[in-house]
Amino acid sequence: MTSVSFLDEARELLREFPVVDGHNDLPYALREQVRYDLAARDIAVHQNAHLHTDLPRLREGGVGAQYWSVYVRSDLPDAVPATLEQIDCVRQLLARYPADLAPALTAADMEAARAEGRIASLMGAEGGHSIANSLGTLRGLYALGVRYMTLTHNDNNDWADSATDEPRAGGLTAFGRAVVREMNRLGMLVDLSHVAATTMRDALDATSAPVIFSHSSSRAVCDHPRNIPDDVLERLPGNGGVAMVTFVPKFVLQAAVDWTAAADENLRSHGFHHLDTGEEAMKLHRAFEERNPRPVATVATVADHLDHMREVAGIDHLGIGGDYDGTAFTPDGLNDVSGYPNLVAELLARGWSSSDLAKLTWQNAVRVLGAAEDVARGLQATRGPSNATIEELDG
């Protein structure tokens, strides 16, 4: 149990250097639960029964900037219009809660929001399927405010391998490398969460700007393919990128990895997709859990990942990406977006300094976006938009 004094110190630190969280799936939860009826899920009040995220708990958690995921499933036939709906949802949230949420496109916007006491709101597209193999669509997402794109989600796309699918491209194809270069030219962060380790390495070879992992932890600590191998973490100092630790129990606790594999198979054996959160699927899942108690991750579990990632990559290359409202289960002490002070307090108890924690919570994430902007300015001075097609590059 973290002492009260460490918790008080954590809250004080977060008042000056609040959390930049790399990944929150609130827009998708609003799509699934209420079809974007924001009045039915008014996040100005506690939504404990339905969501991990609302404004009171974001404030309690010391969140100063949030990348809202504009995610749609990779098996959706019309991913591009569905992604546009997700972007529209974020814009509706910004319009509905202007006193709390500040639109942000740049590192300077993030700092301005912090000075105003508002939560800087950015967007990240989770999965390259959202551009439908079109660099023009990629530029359209950037123009609409998307500031990172995860190269894949759970499934391969035509130009990149996912961590949780059978290898096909062997990493990035030629078109995949063109996507990375165009993202660099735009100033859109290349997000390597969800991608295969081969894709991580290919992207690091191809990029001229820092990358991020918006919500990934350490594979050496928990052997799940969604996590980051040490050889990739070792490359972040040379690249300048940031790995944002995630809280999802099935990615951070080995016992939960094994339990989840069995629970997913239970859903599939009854005809459900393993990500299905519908009433019948969840009823089946709860029955499985009653028979097989779920292993519970804790704040210390996540801190173990950060300790290791710091040892390998260094303090300048760490951040936080909780994945709230994108997971059914959360660690004890990190139950929702109000829990970040508990993680900061645990790290203080382990000897992390205030300057270390300022980098983890705020400074690293702001720096990496600013660095991507700097690279983009240089590239835009030397080359125009690419109109390459996947047919031309990959045959």
Side-chain angles (χ1 to χ4, degrees), residues 25-371:
D25 277 301
L26 175 64
Y28 192 74
L30 294 171
R31 171 190 173 93
E32 293 294 287
Q33 292 183 21
V34 293
R35 193 57 194 176
Y36 304 125
D37 182 354
L38 302 188
R41 292 287 184 273
D42 182 3
I43 63 166
V45 298
H46 278 271
Q47 290 288 344
N48 303 51
H50 306 289
L51 299 168
H52 295 140
T53 308
D54 52 50
L55 295 175
R57 285 182 287 174
L58 286 167
R59 295 296 195 182
E60 186 180 348
V63 176
Q66 181 65 67
Y67 278 94
W68 302 109
S69 175
V70 291
Y71 157 77
V72 295
R73 277 172 51 162
S74 51
D75 58 357
L76 197 67
D78 298 315
V80 175
T83 302
L84 297 180
E85 290 176 359
Q86 288 273 281
I87 292 170
D88 180 66
C89 176
V90 174
R91 289 185 162 192
Q92 288 187 54
L93 289 168
L94 295 175
R96 188 179 178 93
Y97 305 106
D100 293 286
L101 302 179
L105 300 175
T106 65
D109 291 342
M110 295 171 76
E111 292 288 8
R114 180 172 69 131
E116 295 168 355
R118 294 196 291 166
I119 299 166
S121 291
L122 306 99
M123 288 184 281
E126 189 177 17
H129 59 284
S130 288
I131 66 168
N133 298 337
S134 164
L135 296 181
T137 301
L138 174 70
R139 289 190 286 272
L141 294 187
Y142 183 83
L144 290 171
V146 173
R147 287 302 177 265
Y148 75 65
M149 185 174 73
T150 321
L151 298 187
T152 73
H153 191 243
N154 287 337
D155 302 317
N156 299 337
N157 56 43
D158 291 333
W159 43 270
D161 281 349
S162 167
T164 48
D165 201 349
E166 292 299 317
R168 187 170 64 198
L172 287 175
T173 69
F175 184 75
R177 292 190 290 273
V179 170
V180 168
R181 289 193 293 270
E182 188 65 6
M183 292 173 72
N184 291 165
R185 193 192 67 82
L186 289 168
M188 183 186 288
L189 289 164
V190 175
D191 177 22
L192 300 180
S193 287
H194 279 287
V195 308
T198 51
T199 306
M200 297 176 193
R201 296 175 188 121
D202 280 357
L204 284 165
D205 290 342
T207 188
S208 54
V211 303
I212 64 166
F213 292 82
S214 67
H215 57 308
S216 293
S217 296
S218 164
R219 191 157 186 178
V221 177
C222 181
D223 188 15
H224 190 286
R226 270 282 282 104
N227 288 333
I228 314 168
D230 276 1
D231 72 286
V232 174
L233 286 171
E234 288 168 356
R235 294 184 64 175
L236 286 183
N239 166 263
V242 172
M244 309 178 91
V245 69
T246 195
F247 302 164
V248 181
K250 65 182 179 181
F251 302 149
V252 298
L253 182 67
Q254 193 62 50
V257 173
D258 302 334
W259 182 90
T260 300
D264 289 350
E265 180 56 35
N266 179 59
L267 283 175
R268 284 191 289 264
S269 70
H270 288 82
F272 293 99
H273 190 279
H274 71 279
L275 295 178
D276 197 327
T277 57
E279 184 177 345
E280 289 301 314
M282 291 309 295
K283 181 179 178 181
L284 186 68
H285 193 80
R286 285 190 292 269
F288 175 87
E289 187 174 355
E290 287 177 9
R291 299 190 304 272
N292 306 276
R294 176 175 55 89
V296 178
T298 66
V299 176
T301 309
V302 176
D304 288 345
H305 281 264
L306 281 168
D307 278 341
H308 180 79
M309 293 163 75
R310 175 181 175 169
E311 183 178 335
V312 177
I315 187 58
D316 294 322
H317 304 285
L318 302 183
I320 295 171
D323 203 8
Y324 285 116
D325 286 306
T327 178
F329 304 108
T330 55
D332 276 2
L334 295 169
N335 306 77
D336 55 46
V337 295
S338 68
Y340 300 101
N342 294 328
L343 178 59
V344 173
E346 174 68 23
L347 295 171
L348 284 166
R350 294 181 181 212
W352 287 48
S353 69
S354 295
S355 60
D356 293 339
L357 290 163
K359 291 180 178 182
L360 174 74
T361 59
W362 182 263
Q363 293 172 339
N364 291 342
V366 175
R367 171 188 57 77
V368 77
L369 181 59

